[in-house]
Amino acid sequence: MSQISNAIATRDNGPAAVVEQYRSDLALVMPSHLQARVGAWIRNTQGLLRRDEKLMEAAQNDVGQFIAVLMDAGRLGLEPGTEQYYLVPRWNKKKRATEVTGVRGYQGEIELMYRAGAVSSVVVEVVRDNDNFQFRPGRDERPIHDIDWDLTAEQRGDLRLVYAYAVMKDGATSKVVVLNKGHIAKARSKSDSANKDWSPWNTDEESMWMKTGAHRLAKWVPTSAEYMREQLRAKADIATEQRPMTLPVSIPLPAPGSVDTNDEGPIDAEFVDEP
């Protein structure tokens, strides 16, 4: 049993109560922009448990696992139970019970890209059968995607493609990622819970397509705040290198014959205590 599970064993085993007990630990791992609203973050999580019986059951089966998932969401600065970070009950074969696992959503992937500070905008969009989509790598900088917004999603047709790209701060376009049904099927096959009714692959399929596209884009775009710190350090180093050197002040030499040759040089000083 993990250390966090041992600690919980001696406490109230109710997941909602345990989340409150770990308030200070969650705040400690959160980015600064979330620390001020850790109370609301915790209340939203407790609300999720009250509204979703399957999630509550999975959290009760292994409260330590549930807290570990929340710690991961908090460390990333993402909201659990949203399209930033899904809380998903997953069947654990060894425990023969469901437990809570965390799945980063497409909005979470995008949030991490923005927070790194390298991009000015991120585009992630699905293409349906009746949309007009054109993109030729090497010729087109960005995809051309025409959508008839008067149509519903069903009228636009089945999901066909998903694409993602970022516009960097300097105006350049990142690598454009385009995934088809085969790519999505391969990504879905790696999910243990994809065939479950409560899986986001079944409850919110379009979002999972977008999540897959955003996740693939993350390989080409900085998603860590460490990137911004490296940029700031680089700028500081450049500023130091470009700082003008201070030249020594030129002292004029005395005119010939103006030097007192009887000068015996400096006199040794003596420190005297004042009365």
Side-chain angles (χ1 to χ4, degrees):
M1 184 179 292
S2 65
Q3 182 177 1
I4 194 169
S5 297
N6 286 329
I8 291 172
T10 59
R11 303 185 181 191
D12 182 355
N13 286 326
V18 173
V19 174
E20 180 61 39
Q21 292 167 1
Y22 276 84
R23 174 189 289 258
S24 59
D25 299 277
L26 288 164
L28 188 63
V29 301
M30 285 180 175
S32 57
H33 75 280
L34 269 186
Q35 290 175 353
R37 53 183 301 272
V38 62
W41 193 93
I42 287 175
R43 287 192 297 273
N44 289 340
T45 303
Q46 293 171 327
L48 291 171
L49 293 171
R50 288 192 293 269
R51 295 191 298 270
D52 191 328
E53 293 182 3
K54 292 182 178 178
L55 182 64
M56 173 66 86
E57 180 182 354
Q60 288 174 331
N61 289 336
D62 192 334
V63 183
Q65 165 69 11
F66 177 57
I67 294 298
V69 167
L70 294 185
M71 287 287 187
D72 181 60
R75 177 182 58 81
L76 294 172
L78 303 178
E79 293 279 354
T82 68
E83 289 184 337
Q84 287 191 353
Y85 194 95
Y86 294 101
L87 296 179
V88 181
R90 182 186 64 179
W91 179 257
N92 187 311
K93 295 180 180 179
K94 293 182 178 179
K95 298 177 183 176
R96 300 192 61 78
T98 56
E99 62 181 12
V100 178
T101 186
V103 178
R104 197 183 305 174
Y106 83 94
Q107 289 186 358
E109 299 279 3
I110 293 173
E111 171 67 17
L112 295 179
M113 293 180 203
Y114 277 120
R115 202 182 302 159
V119 305
S120 61
S121 63
V122 179
V123 176
V124 183
E125 189 60 72
V126 294
V127 179
R128 293 182 176 271
D129 283 339
N130 296 326
D131 295 347
N132 179 29
F133 178 81
Q134 298 179 31
F135 177 66
R136 294 183 184 178
R139 186 199 70 174
D140 302 327
E141 182 182 10
R142 301 172 189 176
I144 299 173
H145 184 194
D146 294 327
I147 302 173
D148 185 346
W149 294 108
D150 288 329
L151 301 179
T152 64
E154 290 75 17
Q155 290 172 331
R156 285 172 55 197
D158 293 336
L159 292 167
R160 181 165 67 95
L161 302 169
V162 61
Y163 65 93
Y165 65 89
V167 179
M168 313 306 287
K169 285 288 182 69
D170 61 2
T173 302
S174 72
K175 178 180 176 63
V176 178
V177 172
V178 181
L179 305 178
N180 58 28
K181 291 182 179 180
H183 295 120
I184 298 301
K186 186 175 181 179
R188 177 174 178 151
S189 68
K190 295 179 180 179
S191 172
D192 296 335
S193 60
N195 295 324
K196 304 296 183 181
D197 293 339
W198 37 259
S199 170
W201 279 107
N202 297 309
T203 61
D204 199 354
E205 185 182 18
E206 180 174 307
S207 291
M208 291 305 291
W209 277 57
M210 297 174 73
K211 185 260 181 179
T212 306
H215 183 70
R216 191 70 60 88
L217 176 64
K219 298 178 180 180
W220 302 94
V221 177
T223 58
S224 169
E226 181 61 27
Y227 170 83
M228 178 58 70
R229 288 191 288 270
E230 290 291 342
Q231 292 293 99
L232 293 174
R233 280 195 288 266
K235 289 180 180 179
D237 291 342
I238 293 174
T240 300
E241 293 175 359
Q242 295 179 344
R243 187 177 301 159
M245 295 179 61
T246 303
L247 298 176
V249 178
S250 178
I251 302 175
L253 295 175
S258 63
V259 178
D260 185 359
T261 56
N262 293 323
D263 186 2
E264 296 178 342
I267 301 174
D268 291 337
E270 179 180 357
F271 291 95
V272 179
D273 293 333
E274 291 188 358

